[in-house]
Amino acid sequence: MPILKNLGVSDPKVPRAGTLPLRSSRNPFEEVSGLEEEEAGELASLPNGTSCRRRATLEKLAGLAPFRLGWAPGRRAGSPGDGQSRSFLGRVLVPGIRRSSADFGLLARLHGTRAHGDEEAAGEAARRLAFLRLGRGSKPQRASLAERVVPAGEAAPEPPPKVPEPPKMKEPLSVLEILSLIQQRELARADEHILELEAEELAPSGGGAPGPPKAEGAGGGRRARDVALLYEALQRELWALVRETLAGPGPGACAGAGAVAQLGQVLVQEEAADGRRGPGAARKLRARWAEAVARAARERLEAAAPGAPGGLAGQLEALRARLLEDMAVVRGRLAPAYPAGLGAFGVYLRGYHGALAEWLGASARRRLPLADRYALLHWHNQVYPREVLGLVDMAALENGELGPLLSPGTLRGLEDECVTDVKAQTRAALLRVLQEDEEHWGSLEDQHSSLAQDVCELLEEHTERAPRISQEFGERMAHCCLGGLAEFLQSFQQRVERFHENPGVREMLPDTYISKTIALVNCGPPLRALAERLARVGPPESEPAREASASALDHVTRLCHRVVADLLFQELQPHFNKLMRRKWLSSPEALDGIVGTLGAQALALRRMQDEPYQALVAELHRRALVEYVRPLLRGRLRCSSARTRTRVAGRLREDAAQLQRLFRRLESQALWLDAVVPHLAEVLQLEDTPSIQVEVGVLVRDYPDIRRKHVAALLDIRGLRNTAARQEILAVARDLELSEEGALSPPRDRAFFADIPVPRPSFCLSFPLFLGRLPLSRLARPSLACLPRPRPPSLVRPRARR
C-alpha cells in the first residue's frame, strides 16, 4: 500500500494513531495536549493495521516549535528547551492542574501570524483522512463480548451491575479560555474562573487536589499579571455594557436584560470576594460600577446638549428630555435586571445627577447673557425638581436625598449678576422710553401715549420671572425694580413741570393742551399700581422707594389737575362774577352758565382714567362751591330785612340742589360738600340766637377750617347788629377753635373755608360820637352799632381789584 504508506506517515499534518488530536477552541490559537512520557514511547499503527515507529511530534503538528512559552511538568530531561522557557502548547494535560498562559501581547502576535497557516493545515489533514477511509473499505461487524463467551443455545447471563464511575474532576480553564468567555459576554462564568485563578495565586495548596506549586520569579509574576489583565478585560466589558444598555432598545443597544443580570451577578460575586480579600486588597467593583454609570451619563448628556437650538434654554430642554428618556429606560428595563441589593436605580439617578451638576456648573462659570442666566436659574430651581425629580421615587435612594446641583454660593452669584444687569438695563431703557415719549408732548397732533405701558412691560418682564425662580430672588428683583421706577418717576415729574412751564405750550388750543395733560395724568394709575405691587413683594426696606414713587406721581397728578381746573375756571369766571347780586336773586342765568360749561367739559374729562378722574371731579366740585361761596362771604350782598334773608336763603338752596345734581351726574365722590351751602342758608334765615348757635356749631364741626371771621362775615350779611347776640354766636366758634388747636389741619382736598379770604371783622362803638349834626351816641343802638375796624396806616395795603 504505497499510497497509504506515503500518506499515513510521512505527512506531519496527519495525526498518528495513539496521538491526541488538536483541541478546538474559540480563540484562534489552539492548545495541544500531549501524552505522558510512558505513553509517548509506544508504537502506533497506521489505519491499515501496519505499525510504524515513526511519529509526528506535537511541535511539528502544531507548527509552533520556535515558540517556547512556558513550563510543562513531566517533560523528558534533556529534551530541547530544557533549562529555558518550555513550549506552552506542549504541556501534558494533568487533571486538576490549570494550564499557564502566555503574555497577552505575544498571544496577539501569534494570532496574526499563525491563524492562516493553521486553517490550511486543518483542511489538508481532513482531506487525507477522508481518502484513507475510502481505501480501507467499510468496517466489518464484530461479535459482541457476550456472543463470544456464551455458547449457542444458552441464555446469556445478566450483565454485572454497573459501578458508578467517580465524578470527573472539572478541568480548570486556561487564561485564554477565560478571556474568550469575557469576549463572549459570559461575564459571570468568567468572573468565577478569575476568582478561582486568584485563589490559586493566593493559596496554592487547597483542600482538594493539590495545585501546581507557586513558581518563583517570572512564573509567579506571570500568574499575578494574568489575573490583573483578566480583571482589566472584564471591567472593560462591564463598563461597555453599562454604556450600551443606556442607549435603549435599538440597533446600537445591548441585547436584553440577560447581560445586565450577569453584570449584577459579577458585582455581587466581587463584593463577596472583597470581604475575603480584606480592606487593602479589595477591588471595589461596585464603586467603580457607580463611576462607570456616572461616565456613561455624562457622555449621554453631553451628546444631547450641543445640537439643541435656542441657546442655553434649548440645551436645558434637551437635557430634560434626555434625562426623562434615560430614567424611563432605567426604571423599566435596567433596574429590575440588577439584584435588588445593589440599589441600581439609585446608582443611575445619582450618576445622572452628578453629571448634570458638572454640566450646569461649567455653564454657570461662563459669562452668560441675562436671558440665559434666567433660564439656568429657573431650570435649576423649578424645572428639574418638578419635572425630573418629581417623577422619581426618591425612596429608592440609599443615602437619602440628592445634593444640590449648584452650590448656594454659585446661585447667589448668578442672582447678583442678574440684579446688576437688570438695574443697568432698565435704567437706560426707561430713560430712552421717556425721551421718545417727551418728543410728542409739544406736537399739535393728538397722539396716544404708551409711556406707562412701556415702563410696566420693561419692569414686569423681570418682576414676573424672578418670583418663579425663588421667593427670595423675587424680593430682591422687586426691590431693584422699585428703585429704578422711583428714579424714573422723579425724572418724569421734572419733565412734566418743564412742559407746563413752557410758554409755547400754553399757546396751544385749550382742547389740545387739556388732551396732552390728560395723557400725562393717565400715566399715573398703572405706574402707581406697579409701585404698590413691587413694595408688597419686596423687602421692608423698599418702603422709601415706594413713598418716593407715590410722591412724584401725586405731584404730577395735582399739577395736571390744577392746570385743567385753571383752564376750566377761566372760562367759568364771568359766570361766577354774576353771583350774589340783585339780578342773581331773580334770574338763574349765572348758575345755568356754570352748569352748562361744566357739563360740556365733562365729556373731554371722561378720557381720564377712573382714579385721576374721580380726584379731578372732586377738585372741580370743591372749587365750584368755593367760588360760589366766595362772593357771599365778601359781603357782595346785604340782607336788610327778614324777607330779603328768606329770598337769599331760598336761592342758595336752589343753587345748591342744582350743583349737587350736576356733580352727581359727573360722578363726584365729594359728598361732604353738599351740606355747606344749605348750612349757610340756615344761618341766614334763622331768627333766634340759640338756633343760630346750633347751626354755627354744626357748621364748625363739619368744616373744621372755618374761623370766627367767616362766621362774623356771615352775621354781617344777615344784618345781625346785636352785640350780645353776636358775642354769643361767635363764642361757639371760638370755643370750637380752642378745642381743636392741638388737632391737625384738614388735608388739602378737605379744605373749604381756608381758600376763602374775608374782610377784617367789624368792631362795635359804645361811646358817644357826633356824625354831622346828630349825636353819635344814638349809634349805640344795635342796628347802627357795627362799623368797619380802622387799620393802622403802616398796615394799609392796596386791595387787588378782581
Side-chain angles (χ1 to χ4, degrees):
M1 301 288 289
I3 298 177
L4 297 178
K5 183 178 180 180
N6 293 334
L7 294 178
V9 179
S10 62
D11 195 339
K13 297 182 182 180
V14 179
R16 286 183 53 213
T19 61
L20 296 179
L22 293 178
R23 295 182 58 190
S24 62
S25 175
R26 296 184 182 91
N27 193 278
F29 298 97
E30 300 174 349
E31 296 184 358
V32 180
S33 299
L35 298 175
E36 295 184 0
E37 292 297 334
E38 292 80 8
E39 298 174 355
E42 294 180 0
L43 296 177
S45 60
L46 294 177
N48 57 1
T50 62
S51 63
C52 181
R53 295 183 178 274
R54 298 178 61 190
R55 63 183 298 269
T57 63
L58 294 176
E59 288 84 355
K60 292 180 179 180
L61 287 175
L64 295 177
F67 299 99
R68 310 216 175 251
L69 302 178
W71 171 84
R75 289 186 61 89
R76 183 183 297 111
S79 60
D82 189 26
Q84 303 174 357
S85 60
R86 269 67 173 182
S87 170
F88 165 69
L89 298 179
R91 288 182 51 195
V92 176
L93 180 61
V94 179
I97 300 177
R98 186 183 304 277
R99 289 160 288 165
S100 306
S101 169
D103 186 75
F104 282 109
L106 178 58
L107 293 174
R109 290 194 297 272
L110 291 177
H111 181 278
T113 56
R114 299 298 304 168
H116 183 67
D118 291 343
E119 293 175 359
E120 292 180 355
E124 183 66 23
R127 288 192 299 270
R128 292 181 179 273
L129 288 176
F131 181 76
L132 288 176
R133 285 194 295 269
L134 291 175
R136 186 176 57 184
S138 61
K139 182 177 180 180
Q141 295 183 357
R142 298 179 180 179
S144 64
L145 181 61
E147 294 176 352
R148 295 178 184 177
V149 176
V150 180
E154 295 183 7
E158 296 182 358
K162 293 184 178 180
V163 178
E165 297 181 359
K168 296 181 179 180
M169 185 176 296
K170 184 179 179 181
E171 178 186 351
L173 298 184
S174 67
V175 175
L176 290 179
E177 289 171 328
I178 298 174
L179 179 62
S180 177
L181 291 178
I182 294 174
Q183 293 172 349
Q184 295 174 10
R185 292 284 174 88
E186 298 184 20
L187 303 177
R189 285 186 57 200
D191 184 63
E192 291 175 358
H193 290 287
I194 295 175
L195 291 176
E196 293 176 2
L197 182 62
E198 184 182 30
E200 294 175 5
E201 169 66 18
L202 297 177
S205 59
K214 187 173 181 180
E216 298 180 358
R222 185 190 320 110
R223 187 182 294 273
R225 186 170 62 252
D226 288 347
V227 173
L229 292 175
L230 286 174
Y231 266 115
E232 290 181 6
L234 177 65
Q235 292 183 54
R236 280 195 300 270
E237 292 298 325
L238 291 175
W239 313 152
L241 184 62
V242 169
R243 289 193 304 271
E244 294 169 4
T245 52
L246 282 175
C254 184
V260 178
Q262 290 201 50
L263 191 157
Q265 185 177 352
V266 170
L267 296 177
V268 172
Q269 293 172 178
E270 288 295 328
E271 191 171 16
D274 283 344
R276 298 190 298 269
R277 294 184 182 113
R283 298 192 181 274
K284 301 178 180 179
L285 251 65
R286 186 169 179 178
R288 296 182 182 182
W289 167 56
E291 296 173 359
V293 169
R295 286 195 301 271
R298 188 183 309 113
E299 294 174 1
R300 294 279 295 170
L301 295 181
E302 290 176 353
L312 186 61
Q315 295 178 6
L316 292 172
E317 178 61 24
L319 289 179
R320 185 192 67 83
R322 177 58 58 86
L323 278 169
L324 294 179
E325 175 187 352
D326 288 1
M327 295 314 297
V329 172
V330 172
R331 184 188 299 108
R333 187 165 55 87
L334 300 184
Y338 282 96
L342 294 178
F345 186 79
V347 171
Y348 276 86
L349 181 59
R350 290 184 185 278
Y352 272 91
H353 185 81
L356 184 61
E358 293 180 8
W359 193 93
L360 292 181
S363 299
R365 287 189 292 271
R366 299 198 304 265
R367 179 60 183 173
L368 298 174
L370 180 60
D372 287 351
R373 280 197 295 271
Y374 270 134
L376 181 58
L377 289 172
H378 181 259
W379 199 91
H380 175 275
N381 289 14
Q382 300 296 326
V383 176
Y384 182 68
R386 182 180 65 250
E387 301 185 14
V388 178
L389 297 184
L391 305 177
V392 172
D393 183 13
M394 300 301 292
L397 298 177
E398 295 180 354
N399 300 326
E401 297 182 357
L402 298 170
L405 289 174
L406 296 176
S407 65
T410 302
L411 292 175
R412 183 72 178 189
L414 289 173
E415 292 177 358
D416 291 341
E417 292 176 0
C418 286
V419 170
T420 302
D421 288 355
V422 167
K423 183 181 296 184
Q425 292 182 13
T426 53
R427 179 180 301 172
L430 292 176
L431 291 179
R432 182 177 62 254
V433 169
L434 178 58
Q435 184 176 358
E436 293 175 356
D437 194 76
E438 186 183 12
E439 294 175 355
H440 302 291
W441 293 356
S443 64
L444 299 179
E445 299 178 0
D446 188 8
Q447 295 182 351
H448 174 71
S449 176
S450 61
L451 177 63
Q453 180 180 357
D454 295 340
V455 171
C456 291
E457 289 177 356
L458 284 173
L459 296 180
E460 287 175 351
E461 178 185 359
H462 307 289
T463 58
E464 291 180 357
R465 296 184 67 176
R468 291 198 294 264
I469 295 173
S470 68
Q471 181 180 357
E472 180 185 0
F473 184 47
E475 293 178 358
R476 296 182 61 196
M477 187 60 67
H479 179 63
C480 169
C481 292
L482 183 57
L485 179 61
E487 294 179 4
F488 166 79
L489 291 177
Q490 291 174 1
S491 178
F492 176 65
Q493 172 189 339
Q494 296 172 0
R495 300 191 184 213
V496 170
E497 291 174 351
R498 289 200 301 265
F499 169 72
H500 289 298
E501 293 172 358
N502 187 1
V505 172
R506 292 187 175 272
E507 296 177 359
M508 292 182 180
L509 294 175
D511 294 342
T512 304
Y513 188 34
I514 290 177
S515 178
K516 298 290 184 182
T517 305
I518 290 175
L520 295 176
V521 172
N522 285 339
C523 295
L527 297 179
R528 189 186 302 273
L530 177 61
E532 295 292 338
R533 185 167 62 253
L534 295 180
R536 287 194 302 270
V537 175
E541 52 267 23
S542 301
E543 186 62 22
R546 186 201 66 80
E547 293 178 354
S549 301
S551 176
L553 289 174
D554 290 342
H555 186 85
V556 170
T557 302
R558 286 195 300 267
L559 175 60
C560 294
H561 284 175
R562 187 173 68 249
V563 168
V564 173
D566 289 345
L567 290 175
L568 186 56
F569 279 91
Q570 285 179 6
E571 187 177 354
L572 293 173
Q573 193 60 44
H575 302 287
F576 283 111
N577 291 335
K578 299 177 182 180
L579 297 176
M580 308 306 165
R581 300 184 184 275
R582 292 187 180 274
K583 188 178 181 181
W584 165 74
L585 287 173
S586 58
S587 174
E589 177 185 354
L591 192 63
D592 291 343
I594 294 172
V595 172
T597 303
L598 287 174
Q601 292 294 336
L603 296 176
L605 300 179
R606 290 286 185 180
R607 293 179 296 172
M608 198 175 292
Q609 294 193 18
D610 289 341
E611 182 181 354
Y613 174 78
Q614 296 293 337
L616 177 59
V617 169
E619 177 64 17
L620 294 178
H621 193 175
R622 189 191 70 85
R623 285 190 63 173
L625 291 178
V626 166
E627 295 299 327
Y628 182 86
V629 175
R630 187 193 304 274
L632 177 65
L633 296 183
R634 290 180 68 92
R636 187 180 292 179
L637 184 66
R638 298 285 180 171
C639 301
S640 58
S641 63
R643 182 172 178 272
T644 305
R645 290 194 296 272
T646 302
R647 289 183 62 193
V648 171
R651 190 64 183 172
L652 290 175
R653 293 189 185 96
E654 292 177 4
D655 291 351
Q658 190 173 357
L659 290 174
Q660 182 177 352
R661 289 193 296 270
L662 169 65
F663 286 105
R664 286 291 183 275
R665 192 167 64 251
L666 298 181
E667 301 177 1
S668 173
Q669 302 297 323
L671 303 180
W672 62 280
L673 293 170
D674 294 339
V676 61
V677 175
H679 282 317
L680 296 178
E682 289 295 327
V683 172
L684 290 178
Q685 188 176 4
L686 292 175
E687 296 296 336
D688 57 310
T689 300
S691 298
I692 296 175
Q693 286 179 321
V694 172
E695 196 64 33
V696 169
V698 173
L699 191 62
V700 174
R701 182 198 64 193
D702 293 344
Y703 303 95
D705 59 339
I706 192 172
R707 295 294 179 259
R708 281 179 294 173
K709 60 183 180 179
H710 298 102
V711 177
L714 191 59
L715 296 178
D716 290 341
I717 294 169
R718 77 179 309 276
L720 182 58
R721 300 292 186 261
N722 190 318
T723 304
R726 289 173 66 91
Q727 293 300 328
E728 292 176 2
I729 295 171
L730 292 176
V732 176
R734 182 177 63 251
D735 294 341
L736 292 175
E737 287 180 8
L738 293 177
S739 65
E740 295 177 358
E741 281 183 356
L744 297 175
S745 59
R748 182 68 183 84
D749 56 349
R750 300 281 295 186
F752 186 83
F753 289 97
D755 291 345
I756 302 176
V758 296
R760 286 183 173 273
S762 305
F763 69 98
C764 297
L765 297 175
S766 59
F767 52 88
L769 189 63
F770 292 91
L771 180 59
R773 295 182 179 182
L774 296 175
L776 293 182
S777 59
R778 299 176 61 185
L779 294 177
R781 292 179 298 178
S783 59
L784 300 176
C786 295
L787 293 175
R789 184 185 300 274
R791 303 179 187 178
S794 60
L795 299 179
V796 175
R797 296 180 181 177
R799 296 179 59 186
R801 302 180 62 89
R802 294 185 63 86

